[in-house]
Amino acid sequence: HSAFDGSAVLQAVDVSDPAHLRRIGSFEVGEAGSGDPGLAVQDSFAFAGIGAIDPGVAVIDIRDPNHMHKVANINAIATSVALVGHMLYILDAGEVELVDVTNPSRPQVVGALPTHIRDLVVDGDRFVAAESADTEDEDETYGNFASVGVYSIADDPGHPTHTGAWS
C-alpha cells in the first residue's frame, strides 16, 4: 500500500484467525510514484511495482515475513504487474515488458509488446489489456481508450499472440 508519507509498503498479515488479523512484518519498498502500487506474488517472492523508476519493480524475498528483503530491481515505471509461471508482465509507460523471473534475484527482460496499453490482467492462459488509441483520437468523455485486446500465452508466455479485441 501507499503510506501517507508517499512511500510504498509491503505488509505481511497473519490471516490464520480471520477474526483477529495481525501484521507480522512489513517492508518499505520505496517512494511511490503516480497510481496505485501493483503486486504479484509467487512462492517465496513478491514483485512490487510502485509507479516510479526507483526501484521500479522490487523483487522481495518473503520467505520470512518478519525479515523481508529486496533481492533485485527491474527498471520500469510499473503501475501494474501480473505473473504467470516464470513470466512477469509489467505495464511500463504504455507498453508491456516481458521479464523471465526463473531466477528472481536475476530477472531477465526478454521482450515487450510495443502498444499503447493502460492496464492488464492475466486470466489463465491469456491476458487481457485495455489498449489506447493514438492521442489525436482522444475522446472527451473516455480519454483515448480504443479497445480491450486479448493475448494468448498458452503456447509460450514469453511470446504473447494477439488473438482478438473488443472496441
Side-chain angles (χ1 to χ4, degrees):
H1 74 85
S2 292
F4 292 114
D5 65 359
S7 61
V9 179
L10 178 64
Q11 295 194 34
V13 178
D14 181 350
V15 297
S16 60
D17 180 0
H20 299 96
L21 302 177
R22 66 182 183 90
R23 185 175 66 165
I24 55 175
S26 66
F27 179 79
E28 187 170 326
V29 179
E31 187 174 330
S34 60
D36 294 326
L39 181 68
V41 177
Q42 184 176 51
D43 300 326
S44 302
F45 295 92
F47 301 87
I50 62 170
I53 195 68
D54 184 19
V57 177
V59 182
I60 304 163
D61 184 327
I62 59 173
R63 286 178 277 205
D64 180 356
N66 293 305
H67 299 96
M68 295 183 280
H69 61 279
K70 186 168 39 173
V71 297
N73 284 346
I74 303 168
N75 291 331
I77 302 172
T79 53
S80 185
V81 293
L83 187 62
V84 176
H86 66 277
M87 192 61 57
L88 181 67
Y89 302 93
I90 302 171
L91 180 59
D92 178 12
E95 76 175 14
V96 175
E97 296 218 13
L98 311 168
V99 181
D100 186 331
V101 293
T102 302
N103 179 349
S105 61
R106 297 198 194 292
Q108 299 293 317
V109 176
V110 296
L113 296 177
T115 186
H116 302 285
I117 294 179
R118 289 188 174 187
D119 202 1
L120 66 103
V121 65
V122 172
D123 177 29
D125 62 354
R126 65 182 171 251
F127 74 80
V128 180
E131 299 175 334
S132 299
D134 293 330
T135 55
E136 58 266 8
D137 297 334
E138 189 162 330
D139 178 282
E140 285 181 16
T141 306
Y142 301 105
N144 59 353
F145 179 75
S147 66
V148 173
V150 179
Y151 295 81
S152 173
I153 54 177
D155 294 331
D156 183 358
H159 295 91
T161 305
H162 194 266
T163 58
W166 177 72
S167 295

